[in-house]
Amino acid sequence: MSRAHMLYDDKALQSGRTAQHRWSGPFNSAAVFKSSVSQSGVLLEGVYRSQEAHHIDDRQKTPLRYRALHVEVTSAQRRRWDKFGQEMESNLVSSKKMNTGFLNSSYKKVDSGGEDCMTYDDTVKAFRTGTELDSWPAAAHAHCVVVWAEESEVKDVEIEFGQKVRVRTCGEGPLVESITVLDSDQKRAVTNYSGGEKVGGSWTDKLMAAKAKTEGPTETEQKEGADDDEWDD
């Protein structure tokens, strides 16, 4: 896929749908997105399908720029917290295999999630703001939900259409707290944007640096670092 289809590329930002809106009063992001509620939010994984820009002008004439990101949901659950207020990690496994006989091939899939797991309809309901903002995004792919982020926070994020992502929302609405791009085998994840940190293209450098640490120096590098006498034999 070409770079023109990436979120961080200017062409992608220009080619997506852009809608202009007028807000009747002052636009209070925390109130509209219900993002100020602590120890809440949704953790979901899915496929990033599309995005669109929404520019809002409120009564205070403050230009507000947001991105509506369409994610095709594969699994979702409510974020969990321990008694100390620390978030508890989850692998978002929504089903497991259960043996139904003596043969290894005899099994059925059963729901392995607890009360925190969410259906698609649950996720859609959790992301409704109860305001006119809910009707703004255009219809997208089937089984998609819409999450929102400030344009300034995601314009440098490297996400290609069709990539699998993990999204954390904050509060009781659709505002993005973090977006994580998952690699193809889903064994390594690299965070592009988290908690306001704009990382942009640096995630590739981080991945390569981690790989170098794991593999250690190559044989060529070892030879270059040795004295000539050591390689005369």
Side-chain angles (χ1 to χ4, degrees):
M1 184 175 291
S2 69
R3 293 173 66 88
H5 291 83
M6 298 174 118
L7 258 181
Y8 68 89
D9 190 278
D10 286 341
K11 293 181 180 178
L13 294 175
Q14 294 170 4
S15 61
R17 171 179 177 265
T18 300
Q20 301 283 344
H21 309 280
R22 287 190 179 277
W23 198 261
S24 57
F27 187 88
N28 185 323
S29 175
V32 172
F33 291 111
K34 299 183 284 188
S35 59
S36 60
V37 181
S38 62
Q39 297 188 23
S40 58
V42 172
L43 174 65
L44 69 89
E45 286 185 1
V47 180
Y48 168 62
R49 291 300 184 189
S50 62
Q51 60 85 27
E52 55 196 61
H54 291 271
H55 296 176
I56 307 168
D57 290 323
D58 65 3
R59 183 177 294 177
Q60 296 177 335
K61 304 299 182 181
T62 304
L64 304 164
R65 304 291 182 260
Y66 286 91
R67 293 278 161 181
L69 311 180
H70 296 257
V71 179
E72 183 180 345
V73 180
T74 56
S75 56
Q77 73 170 44
R78 298 194 180 279
R79 295 171 66 180
R80 299 182 301 159
W81 313 81
D82 62 22
K83 62 181 180 180
F84 303 107
Q86 299 297 316
E87 184 172 8
M88 301 168 62
E89 292 295 331
S90 170
N91 58 9
L92 281 176
V93 175
S94 58
S95 65
K96 65 181 179 181
K97 294 180 181 180
M98 176 176 288
N99 289 332
T100 58
F102 294 104
L103 299 177
N104 290 333
S105 59
S106 300
Y107 65 87
K108 64 179 180 179
K109 285 188 175 182
V110 298
D111 184 15
S112 64
E115 60 183 10
D116 295 323
C117 288
M118 304 171 66
T119 65
Y120 170 70
D121 290 338
D122 290 336
T123 310
V124 172
K125 184 178 179 180
F127 289 163
R128 289 182 181 143
T129 66
T131 70
E132 60 185 277
L133 180 139
D134 293 334
S135 64
W136 290 353
H141 299 261
H143 214 67
C144 277
V145 295
V146 177
V147 293
W148 293 78
E150 291 187 28
E151 185 175 282
S152 60
E153 301 289 2
V154 297
K155 67 178 182 179
D156 295 324
V157 175
E158 293 185 1
I159 309 178
E160 293 185 20
F161 297 144
Q163 280 188 315
K164 188 166 185 178
V165 296
R166 177 176 293 167
V167 178
R168 280 181 169 85
T169 62
C170 53
E172 297 181 345
L175 190 65
V176 171
E177 179 178 294
S178 68
I179 302 174
T180 302
V181 179
L182 304 178
D183 68 0
S184 58
D185 62 10
Q186 300 177 29
K187 293 180 181 179
R188 177 186 293 138
V190 184
T191 301
N192 281 318
Y193 157 63
S194 178
E197 179 186 3
K198 302 173 185 177
V199 185
S202 65
W203 74 275
T204 303
D205 297 334
K206 290 183 178 180
L207 191 153
M208 296 305 295
K211 182 179 179 181
K213 289 182 179 179
T214 302
E215 296 179 350
T218 64
E219 182 178 348
T220 302
E221 291 171 338
Q222 291 175 344
K223 289 183 178 181
E224 289 177 349
D227 295 331
D228 293 340
D229 293 342
E230 296 182 23
W231 301 101
D232 290 342
D233 295 341

